[in-house]
Amino acid sequence: MDTKRVRKAVIPAAGLGTRFLPATKALPKEMLPIVDKPTIQFIVEEAKKSGIEDILIVTGKNKRAIENHFDSNPELEQDLEKTGKSELLKLTQGITDLGVNLYYTRQPHPAGLGDAIYRAKSFVAGEPFVVMLGDDLMDDKIPLTKQLMNDYEQTHASTIAVMKVPHKEVSKYGVIAPDGKVNDSLYNVKNFVEKPAIDKAPSDLAIIGRYLLTPEIFDILAETKPGRGGEVQLTDAIDTLNKTQRVFAHVFKGKRHDVGNKEGYLETSIEYGLNHPETKDDLRKYILKLAQKLS
Ligand code: UTP
């Protein structure tokens, strides 16, 4: 059992983003903005708010824009300074000075989420760590990553974030077979199943994009054969981990925005736009007018 503090995060971002083609042919899916901020920046900010110090982003071909986004841009900054756009300058420089260390590695082929996480083995170096997927933006008073880290302080065990989803959608997710509650938000788990058929799903509790894992996952990933879709599935490795040490499921009670599909992406853009100081008033007026027309 590992009792070290959790201070590292891995953000896999090497997928092909096929659900957003043609936009993602040359542009990383993780750089698609919600109003004016790329989705991956929300994830890095959640890590920072949770007290994570080191982040490894697993990238691949066509993903250079991610590294550029978190780097400085002297030409742009000089221009903003010269033209007196101090707010924009602060915003731009803030992305470089986030106060977390960012590291990058490449996954040569998009061989699955499990394979992407395996690339983080040396970075993680035997510590417990979190995995954060860019497809899910989470809103809650305490960031979900921090909630998992709080659980870890009590249990010193791997904990996977889950949420109840409509039954007809379970086959899109990894799903847990719960095995009794530990407390109001924590379950023991019998097993983890990746994308079960609707009639075979052990529950409606789906794995959402935050995981806290002990480093023993790497030995298991090394042995995990490609599963569903010919990809090395992280869910399969977690199910094996659960056979040798406790793995809990943490039920998220905040608001989840699934920005990994077109409709969720559009809905989230509207909701965030209705909260953004520059867009909220005009967007609200526009939506009310549009709603009248549609009804
Ligand atoms: P997704 O399945 O949501 O991402 O994987 P995708 O494959 O890019 O998108 P679609 O399904 O084709 O539209 C979840 C996360 O895992 C990463 C993705 O970048 C995404 O952030 N991932 C997935 C990898 O890093 N490597 C992989 O081999 C697969």
Side-chain angles (χ1 to χ4, degrees):
M1 187 186 289
D2 210 297
T3 55
K4 288 181 187 139
R5 196 164 63 86
V6 180
R7 48 181 212 93
K8 292 179 180 176
V10 179
I11 304 178
L16 296 176
T18 53
R19 280 171 290 176
F20 281 93
L21 281 169
T24 46
K25 184 163 175 258
L27 180 80
K29 170 173 90 169
E30 297 75 13
M31 288 302 295
L32 293 175
I34 301 297
V35 187
D36 53 9
K37 193 186 281 189
T39 52
I40 194 159
Q41 191 180 329
F42 286 97
I43 304 298
V44 169
E45 287 174 358
E46 180 187 327
K48 156 93 178 141
K49 273 190 222 142
S50 303
I52 293 291
E53 297 161 14
D54 292 341
I55 300 175
L56 177 73
I57 303 182
V58 183
T59 70
K61 279 161 213 68
N62 280 336
K63 301 282 183 167
R64 276 272 168 229
I66 296 177
E67 287 172 58
N68 292 341
H69 181 67
F70 291 104
D71 197 358
S72 62
N73 184 337
E75 206 179 359
L76 172 67
E77 287 164 34
Q78 268 166 25
D79 189 82
L80 293 174
E81 193 160 11
K82 230 173 27 203
T83 49
K85 294 179 178 147
S86 54
E87 277 307 306
L88 289 178
L89 179 64
K90 217 165 91 191
L91 198 74
T92 308
Q93 287 173 333
I95 304 168
T96 324
D97 306 326
L98 278 171
V100 283
N101 302 312
L102 292 178
Y103 302 88
Y104 300 90
T105 192
R106 276 195 176 207
Q107 183 189 24
H109 306 284
L113 178 58
D115 180 73
I117 300 308
Y118 189 66
R119 312 270 148 195
K121 186 177 175 183
S122 319
F123 165 80
V124 165
E127 297 185 24
F129 67 107
V130 290
V131 171
M132 306 174 75
L133 305 191
D135 279 354
D136 285 319
L137 304 188
M138 312 293 189
D139 286 334
D140 207 350
K141 273 197 218 90
I142 301 175
L144 176 54
T145 296
K146 179 68 180 156
Q147 294 177 26
L148 299 181
M149 290 160 71
N150 290 344
D151 287 337
Y152 180 83
E153 292 201 351
Q154 305 297 320
T155 62
H156 303 296
S158 296
T159 306
I160 314 304
V162 298
M163 198 167 190
K164 202 165 161 38
V165 296
H167 184 64
K168 60 180 189 334
E169 288 179 18
V170 285
S171 56
K172 294 189 204 156
Y173 295 90
V175 175
I176 66 160
D179 194 15
K181 271 191 167 180
V182 180
N183 62 38
D184 184 43
S185 58
L186 213 58
Y187 281 96
N188 285 304
V189 182
K190 223 177 289 165
N191 49 352
F192 295 82
V193 194
E194 182 62 22
K195 299 195 174 71
I198 294 181
D199 56 335
K200 298 245 162 60
S203 77
D204 293 343
L205 288 170
I207 299 176
I208 50 177
R210 304 290 181 273
Y211 311 68
L212 192 153
L213 295 168
T214 53
E216 286 75 22
I217 196 74
F218 290 107
D219 289 341
I220 296 169
L221 280 170
E223 302 291 322
T224 304
K225 300 268 170 312
R228 250 196 107 86
E231 296 189 341
V232 177
Q233 298 291 351
L234 183 61
T235 308
D236 294 347
I238 292 170
D239 190 52
T240 307
L241 184 69
N242 190 34
K243 308 248 176 341
T244 54
Q245 53 176 247
R246 292 176 312 165
V247 179
F248 295 102
H250 172 109
V251 182
F252 180 54
K253 303 206 174 101
K255 171 93 178 127
R256 164 178 174 256
H257 302 274
D258 178 0
V259 297
N261 70 80
K262 287 181 196 120
E263 196 191 322
Y265 178 80
L266 289 173
E267 285 177 10
T268 309
S269 299
I270 292 170
E271 281 185 40
Y272 279 44
L274 287 169
N275 277 318
H276 191 293
E278 273 173 50
T279 53
K280 62 180 186 186
D281 295 335
D282 287 347
L283 184 62
R284 185 169 176 276
K285 277 187 217 145
Y286 169 73
I287 290 173
L288 289 172
K289 215 160 98 191
L290 184 67
Q292 256 178 0
K293 221 199 275 171
L294 291 175
S295 62

